[in-house]
Amino acid sequence: MTYQKYKKILIPYIIILSSILLLSVLSQDVFNEYSRGFSKVIPLPTQGTQTLWIISFSIISGIIGAYIGGYAIGPVFLFLHKKIIGRKMIYGFQNKEQSDQFKGYYIKALFPALLAVHFCLLFSANVDIQELVVYHENSSAVTQMMTFSVLLPIFLGIGLGIFAPTWFLLDGSIIYTNKKKVEKLSDPIEIRSVGGWYIYLLKGYAGISVFITYYDFFSRLITEVDINASSLMLILLWPIMPLFLAYLMISVIIILDKTFDKRRKYIRKWANKFGITEPLDFDLDREK
């Protein structure tokens, strides 16, 4: 499969990302008289180059996290589901080919980004971590925001690492039914995907938790900073941070989609080890 499938999104993505990287350096290093780096741990001297480092390593961390999480945790998710949730379920797989269209990538990236924001806000509020990674500002909210930025690559990798196993299971088309469980009940027979079961839980947690932590931080940011052109821009842009991070992670989704066949074979191999060896018939006339 060539990159023609991703052409419509990949070209504007590269242009927009390159523009953001260039502007982040120019706006903070060329037009700012005071451009000393805000982080103690990033080995670059200015705000602009440190911002460049954060964005670049966020993408790299996302790729690493997605693959480590998918390959290491995907089989664990499947094992736990089969042993705990699926003791009376019938498992199988669906023979569905990879789509020749690239859709839904932004929403797919949004929830790991939300989870990363949630974790970043929790840990960046810790004073000891702030002391370790950034120079303190007069506003505690601004100090937390800088700490948030430094921690971002780490937690984007973790967020992708948590969601990637569900994508591996979805791409492997591992499904199950409650036919055996409800055969003596009046409940309807259902067919669900294992990956879908996990992703439903994770999306709920990511969405609700980030709303609570984000609201608390944003409220402090508004009340603590002095209102000027710079801080006003910060206040206006901060609420769309998860949207920007999701856009940043599109590259990770493209790479995962490009390796679809390899990842499907991997998760199917583990499914076979757990006794999931045959397609699940949709007429459900026979049990596996």
Side-chain angles (χ1 to χ4, degrees):
M1 186 182 295
T2 66
Y3 281 96
Q4 190 67 28
K5 175 180 178 181
Y6 315 106
K7 185 177 180 179
K8 288 184 178 180
I9 180 62
L10 195 56
I11 293 176
Y13 176 80
I14 293 173
I15 293 173
I16 292 173
L17 183 59
S18 300
S19 300
I20 290 172
L21 293 174
L22 181 61
L23 287 173
S24 68
V25 174
L26 289 177
S27 62
Q28 297 186 57
D29 289 354
V30 177
F31 302 113
N32 243 349
E33 293 182 5
Y34 177 75
S35 62
R36 184 197 69 174
F38 54 84
S39 171
K40 299 177 182 179
V41 296
I42 297 176
L44 293 170
T46 63
Q47 292 179 16
T49 53
Q50 288 189 354
T51 301
L52 184 69
W53 191 96
I54 289 169
I55 294 175
S56 301
F57 274 87
S58 291
I59 296 174
I60 295 170
S61 175
I63 296 170
I64 294 172
Y67 273 89
I68 291 178
Y71 279 100
I73 305 177
V76 176
F77 273 14
L78 180 57
F79 175 80
L80 292 176
H81 192 282
K82 196 169 188 296
K83 292 299 180 181
I84 299 174
I85 306 298
R87 285 177 294 178
K88 293 184 179 181
M89 304 294 183
I90 304 169
Y91 284 79
F93 55 84
Q94 180 183 358
N95 288 318
K96 188 175 181 181
E97 297 300 321
Q98 182 183 14
S99 173
D100 59 357
Q101 299 183 40
F102 189 58
K103 294 183 176 181
Y105 50 85
Y106 188 77
I107 295 298
K108 195 172 185 177
L110 178 60
F111 285 93
L114 289 173
L115 189 61
V117 168
H118 170 62
F119 288 147
C120 273
L121 286 173
L122 287 179
F123 282 87
S124 64
N126 186 286
V127 177
D128 293 330
I129 295 176
Q130 292 176 3
E131 289 283 355
L132 180 65
V133 301
V134 299
Y135 300 102
H136 265 266
E137 295 289 332
N138 293 330
S139 167
S140 64
V142 173
T143 301
Q144 183 180 354
M145 185 186 64
M146 295 190 303
T147 308
F148 175 101
S149 300
V150 177
L151 297 178
L152 197 55
I154 297 172
F155 287 109
L156 275 174
I158 292 174
L160 268 296
I162 291 173
F163 270 86
T166 69
W167 301 334
F168 273 59
L169 292 168
L170 285 171
D171 292 341
S173 299
I174 310 300
I175 57 178
Y176 67 100
T177 176
N178 65 344
K179 178 187 176 183
K180 183 177 180 180
K181 183 177 180 180
V182 301
E183 60 185 354
K184 295 182 180 180
L185 303 174
S186 57
D187 296 351
I189 296 175
E190 298 178 344
I191 299 174
R192 295 188 64 183
S193 66
V194 177
W197 185 88
Y198 277 108
I199 208 165
Y200 178 80
L201 295 179
L202 290 174
K203 281 183 175 181
Y205 175 77
I208 295 172
S209 60
V210 77
F211 176 80
I212 296 172
T213 52
Y214 215 68
Y215 175 80
D216 176 67
F217 171 76
F218 192 63
S219 299
R220 289 195 299 108
L221 180 64
I222 293 175
T223 56
E224 289 185 14
V225 299
D226 296 326
I227 301 299
N228 52 46
S230 178
S231 63
L232 184 61
M233 182 63 68
L234 178 65
I235 291 171
L236 292 175
L237 291 178
W238 185 256
I240 65 172
M241 173 66 74
L243 303 180
F244 168 71
L245 297 179
Y247 189 80
L248 204 62
M249 291 300 102
I250 288 176
S251 56
V252 182
I253 307 302
I254 291 175
I255 293 172
L256 287 174
D257 191 75
K258 186 69 177 174
T259 57
F260 177 92
D261 290 333
K262 184 178 180 181
R263 294 184 297 102
R264 166 176 273 197
K265 289 178 183 178
Y266 174 80
I267 207 69
R268 288 276 182 92
K269 181 183 74 174
W270 278 100
N272 288 338
K273 291 181 179 181
F274 299 148
I276 306 171
T277 59
E278 299 180 43
L280 183 62
D281 293 338
F282 282 90
D283 58 14
L284 302 177
D285 285 337
R286 58 191 180 91
E287 298 177 1
K288 303 295 186 292

